[in-house]
Amino acid sequence: MDAQRWRRARELFDALVDTPQSEWRARVAEACADDPLVHDEVLAMLRADQATGSRADFDTCLPAAVAELAGRIADAAEDEASPACEGRAVGPFRLVREIGRGGMGAVWLAERADGAFRQRVAVKLIRSGWDVDEVLARFRAERQILAGLQHPNIAHLVDGGVTADGKPWLALEYIDGEDLRAWCDGRRLDLGARLQLFLTVCDAVAHAHQRLVVHRDLKPSNILVGRDGVVKLLDFGIAKLLDAADGGISATRVFTPEYAAPEQVRGELLTTAVDIHALGLLLYELLCGRRPFEAEHATPAAYERAVLDQEPTRPSLAVTRDGDDGATIAASRDLAPARLRRELRGDLDAIVLKALRKEPNQRYASVQAFADDVRRHLARQPVLARRGSWRYRSARFLHRHALAAALAGIAALALCGGLGAALWQAHAAGVQRDSARAALAFMRSLFDNADPAHRKGDQLSARDLLDAGTRTMRTALPGEDAARGDLLLTMASAYLGLEQLEAAAPLIDEVRTTAEARGDRAQLAAALVQQCRLRDLGNHSDECPSLLDRAESLLDTRDPAQARLVAYSLALRVYGLQLANRYDTIVDSMRRGLTLLGDGREDRYLRVELASHLAFALNRLERPAEAERVLAPWLAELRHDDDTERVLLVDTLGTLSSSLGALGRHDEAIAMQREAVDVAEKLYGRDDPTVAESYNTLARTLSGAGRLDEAVAAMLRAVELDRGNEAGGKNPELASALCNLAVLLVKQERYDEARARLDEAIAVAQTAEFDADLGRSLWWRAVVHLVAGHAPAARADEKRMVDVLAPTHAADDEAMLRGRALAFAADLVERGPAAANDSACADAAAVADAFSRTPQPAGADARFAAHLAALCAQRSPPATPVPPLAAHYARIAERIGEPWAQVR
């Protein structure tokens, strides 16, 4: 029965309850001729009221009822007045002080008293006078429910039992903190941070629902945030197991009226929708600091009537309800009132109101669906709660695709610049006005093309938007080559972001030609930088250094914009320097780039990128402590940024996790990388291929900690995600992921499985024409062949690897050194001492010496090369044991010893 029908039934019952029974049927039939459901409900209520007994029965029962109530009040008063519980032993614990009291009993802070170890817990005891069968059964049910819930954001059960006088007790994890709402307000958390905390609560509730448990009493006081910032869900005292027949627990309505769902008030069957409604109420308060319903009096009955009868006020309107300007509420969210209303209007209004629908089947189908819609809002994707128009969906699209949408920013700047100059420079007013009008006309035509109403409802893609802009630019801004060049470069950059190289190339060439003709040094440098990006993405990164050298020679670093371009060009050099094993140069270049940038927000993205490159290079140079010092200051700031900036958080966490792993702080490193995975999934979606890189790094972090089974599982997830990222049949990311998975399998000595993965990786890398991954996969397959004793196959793969990598890798690059060492090892396995001739041994010594000068001179590769050189010098297997090597190298060393033994 909906709220309107229930109100009608209640009003009719009130009107008829004192009338003679003989008149009921006729009067109900007259009043409810149009609604059989209300008719039957009113008659049932009247009969139930009559069945409660006559006044004489009530008079008879009243003295006993009053006496029982007086006894309970006296017992409760005695409990509250007596300090006897302090110091009382309950199981292995000693009660310290009372920290809470509710309808069932009291909660005490307790300490472990059995001497086994130090521990503080929250002990829950039933209040005297209330130990009736129903309450005892409910208490035991809570104990059973908590025992089955294991989640980092649910206060876990520590112990439980029965006191000497027969009362059950629970010992729960003690949370020293404050409720979620107060915690957020006290720290002036913005809406984004509040939504992230709310998603943590949703995860905990979803965990309970997966185990068929409905909490039924979610409210801020049952959700605490500890001093460590971790959210904890408490109090499953009235939780209900969905698959239980209540186990003797009464169906008595037990709830907090202010946070009850309509079906709880009506006494109907409860489902997970009750918790979804409560989460909607919680989110409402977190966002706008008020409750959605206005009750005339602060009484349970008033709240129940409001829940049944009122429609909730939209959060964006509630901020300034009752004549309050909302300044205090907005300030606790680090916003102005007008800005807070704008932030809440639209998506957040729709999400909250959907969760607060009166009918359970009109709310979100699950807590996960609720949380996913919040994540869509954070990712600037269309939310399911809001049946937006095509214009709304297009706006969401443009928010998500910032590269394409940057066209609007460039044009707006051109317009503003034109209008501003017109006010101050009379001579240039006409020219600037024409330029601004042309830019505005270009943007209008661009968004006309983007408007789905003009596209007959077709879906809009970023490529469609750019193609439309390119066509329009052919005739836009006549005579304004500088402004036109800026727009063309912006569109070319967006094309490169989409890996549409063929579309970007002519735009860059056109700007380069016109800039050279005009002598525009800054725009020519910008075109050269974009040309480097084009060559790099086209697997011709060797052409980048000369382009960037010329670009830097054209720029004046005294100009902030040109200094920013120099810093960006330094970042583009990193990949080539990595291939050349020049990590010291990377360190110097990144430090120089950071000195060129200012402290403004416009330089912030690039500053973090340079810092990440710097930290990565320091890690490779085995200077992880320095790397940590470079990146750690950014973490707190990035964790509280909006989604555009939080993209940087994923890479920062990944690089820092590598530093911590190198410092031996493996647990911290793994936790940090798991956070990176979580951030990436919230930004892009769980199944977006972009998340694969975070799983890849997680696998590497787990492997460094020796947790190979978990590493393989993470890498399998990365492979799964990369398989969904085909682009024209070419997928270099999949090749890399397959090779990484094979490396982990080699470490587990699962060589047959590793070879199968490497075969696929080689095929994918060859199709994608991605030489770096092709060469790496060939080397690892050569290792697997050699472990199996197939020296000719190993030599063939090693030779092919050298042919692939030689054009782009220096002779002293680690990959090339590993190839030379493996080739010599293959000869030793097959030919024994005959392979150790003077020329081969000289090369082995040179490889070992070169490895000693690499960033990681103590790694397994370097130790294996040194082992080969030592063996060669003795011209027989070393008398000393093989030094500690990776498992695959140890196996190869064993194979090398076999031919030598046969000769002797």
Side-chain angles (χ1 to χ4, degrees):
M1 182 178 292
D2 58 34
Q4 185 175 0
R5 279 176 162 173
W6 172 249
R7 182 170 59 249
R8 184 180 177 189
R10 192 181 62 210
E11 290 172 353
L12 190 53
F13 167 79
D14 290 339
L16 298 178
V17 68
D18 293 325
T19 60
Q21 182 178 0
S22 59
E23 298 179 16
W24 289 352
R25 186 172 295 279
R27 294 185 62 174
V28 171
E30 179 183 358
C32 304
D34 59 333
D35 197 332
L37 181 61
V38 174
H39 175 281
D40 295 344
E41 182 68 19
V42 173
L43 288 176
M45 292 166 65
L46 290 168
R47 295 188 188 105
D49 179 73
Q50 185 184 51
T52 58
S54 65
R55 182 175 181 81
D57 293 334
F58 180 72
D59 290 342
T60 302
C61 296
L62 182 59
V66 171
E68 180 184 357
L69 180 59
R72 290 186 179 186
I73 292 173
D75 288 342
E78 182 182 351
D79 276 354
E80 293 175 0
S82 173
C85 284
E86 293 185 12
R88 177 183 175 185
V90 176
F93 303 102
R94 182 181 64 256
L95 303 183
V96 177
R97 71 174 188 275
E98 185 177 315
I99 56 176
R101 181 171 288 270
M104 287 175 58
V107 181
W108 286 75
L109 173 64
E111 296 177 341
R112 198 166 192 96
D114 59 2
F117 50 88
R118 297 182 63 183
Q119 184 181 31
R120 303 177 82 192
V121 298
V123 170
K124 194 170 187 179
L125 293 170
I126 288 182
R127 182 187 295 170
S128 299
W130 291 92
D131 50 342
V132 293
D133 291 343
E134 177 184 333
V135 179
L136 289 171
R138 190 175 301 283
F139 204 78
R140 295 188 184 100
E142 180 181 6
R143 183 170 59 190
Q144 185 58 48
I145 288 168
L146 285 171
L149 297 178
Q150 297 294 326
H151 190 276
N153 300 109
I154 295 178
H156 62 267
L157 177 68
V158 176
D159 202 350
V162 179
T163 63
D165 54 355
K167 293 182 176 63
W169 58 271
L170 296 177
L172 308 174
E173 177 185 4
Y174 172 62
I175 310 300
D176 184 11
E178 55 188 322
D179 76 61
L180 178 61
R181 184 179 53 192
W183 196 86
C184 291
D185 290 346
R187 287 156 183 79
R188 295 168 56 99
L189 294 190
D190 60 21
L191 295 184
R194 290 168 184 255
L195 289 172
Q196 294 294 347
L197 287 170
F198 176 74
L199 289 173
T200 302
V201 177
C202 287
D203 289 342
V205 177
H207 173 83
H209 286 185
Q210 289 167 4
R211 282 145 186 82
L212 305 179
V213 175
V214 186
H215 190 286
R216 297 203 292 178
D217 196 27
L218 291 169
K219 54 188 176 183
S221 61
N222 280 341
I223 303 167
L224 297 186
V225 183
R227 294 182 182 276
D228 55 0
V230 176
V231 177
K232 291 287 185 177
L233 183 58
L234 313 176
D235 201 353
F236 279 80
I238 63 171
K240 179 181 178 68
L241 286 167
L242 292 180
D243 63 348
D246 270 356
I249 298 176
S250 167
T252 301
R253 298 190 306 162
V254 182
F255 51 80
T256 304
E258 300 95 313
Y259 295 94
E263 59 267 33
Q264 281 178 293
V265 175
R266 293 193 293 262
E268 297 172 353
L269 179 67
L270 303 184
T271 66
T272 55
V274 170
D275 285 350
I276 292 170
H277 188 277
L279 287 170
L281 293 169
L282 173 67
L283 181 57
Y284 194 106
E285 293 191 41
L286 286 176
L287 294 177
C288 69
R290 300 185 188 274
R291 290 177 179 165
F293 304 111
E294 299 180 78
E296 296 178 3
H297 305 287
T299 64
Y303 281 119
E304 289 187 18
R305 285 195 298 273
V307 168
L308 291 174
D309 298 344
Q310 292 182 18
E311 289 299 326
T313 305
R314 293 200 306 270
S316 59
L317 296 179
V319 173
T320 54
R321 195 169 61 195
D322 302 328
D324 186 349
D325 64 2
T328 302
I329 293 173
S332 66
R333 286 146 183 81
D334 201 23
L335 292 170
R339 175 66 184 277
L340 177 57
R341 288 194 299 272
R342 287 198 302 272
E343 293 287 334
L344 296 177
R345 188 182 303 126
D347 284 359
L348 292 174
D349 276 346
I351 289 171
V352 172
L353 294 181
K354 182 176 177 63
L356 295 180
R357 299 273 174 85
K358 300 295 185 188
E359 295 305 313
N361 59 2
Q362 295 297 314
R363 298 172 202 148
Y364 286 101
S366 66
V367 174
Q368 190 61 51
F370 189 178
D372 287 344
D373 229 8
V374 174
R375 292 188 178 98
R376 288 187 191 93
H377 167 74
L378 289 172
R380 297 186 177 90
Q381 297 173 343
V383 300
L384 300 184
R386 189 178 180 190
R387 295 181 178 178
S389 65
W390 280 103
R391 291 180 185 274
Y392 161 70
R393 294 182 181 277
S394 297
R396 295 284 90 188
F397 175 88
L398 292 175
H399 273 299
R400 296 197 307 277
H401 295 277
L403 284 174
L407 294 171
I410 294 293
L413 288 175
L415 176 61
C416 292
L419 294 177
L423 294 174
W424 292 98
Q425 300 178 22
H427 176 70
V431 174
Q432 294 293 346
R433 182 181 64 249
D434 292 342
S435 175
R437 285 176 176 173
L440 180 59
F442 167 70
M443 293 309 302
R444 282 175 177 165
S445 67
L446 183 61
F447 283 103
D448 280 343
N449 288 328
D451 189 342
H454 295 169
R455 299 172 57 84
K456 299 181 180 180
D458 292 342
Q459 288 284 355
L460 179 70
S461 71
R463 177 64 190 265
D464 292 335
L465 181 63
L466 290 170
D467 288 346
T470 301
R471 289 191 298 270
T472 306
M473 279 302 298
R474 297 304 176 195
T475 56
L477 300 173
E480 295 295 327
D481 290 341
R484 190 164 175 271
D486 287 341
L487 288 172
L488 285 174
L489 281 181
T490 302
M491 289 191 291
S493 178
Y495 272 126
L496 293 177
L498 296 172
E499 298 188 11
Q500 302 293 327
L501 309 189
E502 297 83 0
L507 303 183
I508 298 171
D509 289 340
E510 181 178 341
V511 176
R512 181 173 176 178
T513 300
T514 58
E516 281 184 312
R518 295 192 325 273
D520 189 334
R521 294 167 62 90
Q523 193 168 87
L524 174 58
L528 291 168
V529 169
Q530 292 301 324
Q531 209 153 42
C532 165
R533 284 187 64 200
L534 177 70
R535 297 289 188 270
D536 191 23
L537 291 169
N539 204 22
H540 297 289
S541 56
D542 55 310
E543 300 177 27
C544 260
S546 60
L547 291 168
L548 295 176
D549 286 344
R550 186 181 175 199
E552 289 187 33
S553 70
L554 295 169
L555 295 169
D556 183 354
T557 56
R558 291 172 297 181
D559 180 280
Q562 295 186 40
R564 187 179 306 121
L565 191 56
V566 172
Y568 181 56
S569 74
L570 291 171
L572 290 178
R573 295 177 184 269
V574 167
Y575 181 66
L577 293 171
Q578 287 177 359
L579 292 179
N581 203 26
R582 295 169 59 188
Y583 293 102
D584 284 323
T585 304
I586 294 176
V587 170
D588 294 339
S589 297
M590 296 308 100
R591 293 196 190 280
R592 179 191 169 213
L594 288 169
T595 63
L596 292 172
L597 297 175
D599 296 329
R601 193 169 182 85
E602 68 275 9
D603 292 335
R604 191 160 172 270
Y605 193 105
L606 187 53
R607 286 205 310 275
V608 180
E609 186 177 359
L610 293 173
S612 295
H613 289 320
L614 171 59
F616 177 82
L618 290 169
N619 281 338
R620 293 305 304 269
L621 291 169
E622 296 191 326
R623 293 154 63 181
E626 290 181 64
E628 183 186 13
R629 287 195 294 272
V630 168
L631 280 187
W634 287 101
L635 263 191
E637 188 173 352
L638 290 173
R639 279 172 169 150
H640 292 90
D641 268 339
D642 59 29
D643 290 341
T644 302
E645 299 294 345
R646 281 173 68 82
V647 173
L648 299 169
L649 178 58
V650 178
D651 291 336
T652 302
L653 287 167
T655 305
L656 259 180
S657 70
S658 298
S659 302
L660 296 176
L663 291 168
R665 293 153 60 183
H666 296 297
D667 289 342
E668 293 178 67
I670 292 169
M672 190 168 285
Q673 188 52 36
R674 290 196 189 281
E675 181 185 353
V677 170
D678 183 57
V679 172
E681 288 183 337
K682 289 174 180 176
L683 281 173
Y684 306 113
R686 288 180 56 83
D687 297 323
D688 193 292
T690 310
V691 182
E693 180 60 29
S694 296
Y695 274 103
N696 198 328
T697 307
L698 175 60
R700 185 172 66 246
T701 307
L702 289 164
S703 174
R707 293 159 63 169
L708 291 179
D709 288 341
E710 294 175 70
V712 168
M715 204 62 238
L716 283 168
R717 176 60 176 155
V719 169
E720 177 187 2
L721 290 169
D722 279 328
R723 288 194 190 280
N725 194 25
E726 291 283 347
K730 298 181 178 182
N731 192 347
E733 288 82 7
L734 177 58
S736 176
L738 286 165
C739 183
N740 290 343
L741 177 57
V743 171
L744 292 173
L745 294 171
V746 167
K747 288 184 176 182
Q748 290 186 313
E749 302 187 55
R750 295 159 62 180
Y751 295 108
D752 291 340
E753 296 174 65
R755 186 171 58 246
R757 298 290 185 173
L758 289 166
D759 290 344
E760 185 182 0
I762 289 167
V764 173
Q766 192 166 359
T767 301
E769 300 177 347
F770 203 75
D771 292 343
D773 280 318
L774 177 57
R776 180 166 170 263
S777 299
L778 285 166
W779 185 83
W780 277 103
R781 191 169 71 174
V783 168
V784 173
H785 283 316
L786 199 52
V787 167
H790 305 313
R795 272 201 310 275
D797 276 344
E798 183 275 331
K799 183 178 183 305
R800 187 179 169 195
M801 180 209 79
V802 171
D803 292 340
V804 168
L805 296 183
T808 56
H809 287 64
D812 62 348
D813 179 81
E814 290 181 36
M816 305 300 284
L817 294 175
R818 283 197 297 267
R820 289 160 64 184
L822 197 67
F824 183 43
D827 280 347
L828 292 174
V829 167
E830 188 173 24
R831 298 167 52 205
N837 56 50
D838 292 341
S839 174
C841 287
D843 188 62
V847 169
D849 181 63
F851 258 124
S852 70
R853 295 192 299 274
T854 62
Q856 299 182 39
D861 298 317
R863 283 183 281 131
F864 183 63
H867 175 69
L868 294 178
L871 180 151
C872 200
Q874 298 178 32
R875 300 297 170 100
S876 64
T880 57
V882 175
L885 300 173
H888 51 280
Y889 279 140
R891 290 285 189 90
I892 294 171
E894 292 172 7
R895 294 253 176 220
I896 289 172
E898 293 174 4
W900 293 68
Q902 292 168 5
V903 170
R904 292 201 305 270

